[in-house]
Amino acid sequence: MLNRQIPLLHLDPDVYPQQLGLTLLVSANPVKYESAQVNVVALLTTPNKTDHLPLLYQVKNMAKDTTFIHTLSQSANTKEAEKLVQKFLTA
């Protein structure tokens, strides 16, 4: 769990072959994860134990920004959420 904002799910690249990727589940209604209420859940995939580190750092920064998480959770649709994430990741 990153900053009690984003649960970070991941698969072991030694067990499941995969490419580098990030999938976000964004919900306007919080979901309970452990003892927290969250609006964003991340799934990070990586082909090895190191390629994902720059992306993980960016997701960690995203989790620190409570204003961004709130704005993202209020996005009207997938396209708007995607634009917000793209803008955040390229800033």
Side-chain angles (χ1 to χ4, degrees):
M1 176 84 97
L2 300 172
N3 201 43
R4 296 197 46 79
Q5 294 272 5
I6 300 177
L8 180 62
L9 311 174
H10 56 283
L11 299 172
D12 186 337
D14 294 332
V15 176
Y16 301 100
Q18 53 203 290
Q19 297 178 354
L20 182 62
L22 174 65
T23 300
L24 296 174
L25 167 72
V26 179
S27 176
N29 301 316
V31 294
K32 186 171 181 158
Y33 182 83
E34 295 179 350
S35 62
Q37 295 289 324
V38 298
N39 293 86
V40 179
V41 177
L43 171 62
L44 185 62
T45 58
T46 183
N48 57 49
K49 303 267 185 187
T50 59
D51 282 1
H52 70 290
L53 296 177
L55 187 55
L56 176 59
Y57 180 74
Q58 296 219 339
V59 174
K60 181 180 163 225
N61 286 338
M62 194 182 298
K64 286 183 189 177
D65 191 333
T66 56
T67 301
F68 173 75
I69 295 297
H70 177 73
T71 302
L72 183 60
S73 70
Q74 299 304 310
S75 55
N77 55 50
T78 303
K79 288 289 183 191
E80 183 180 333
E82 185 178 335
K83 286 179 184 179
L84 288 167
V85 170
Q86 294 263 342
K87 183 177 178 183
F88 186 91
L89 294 178
T90 58

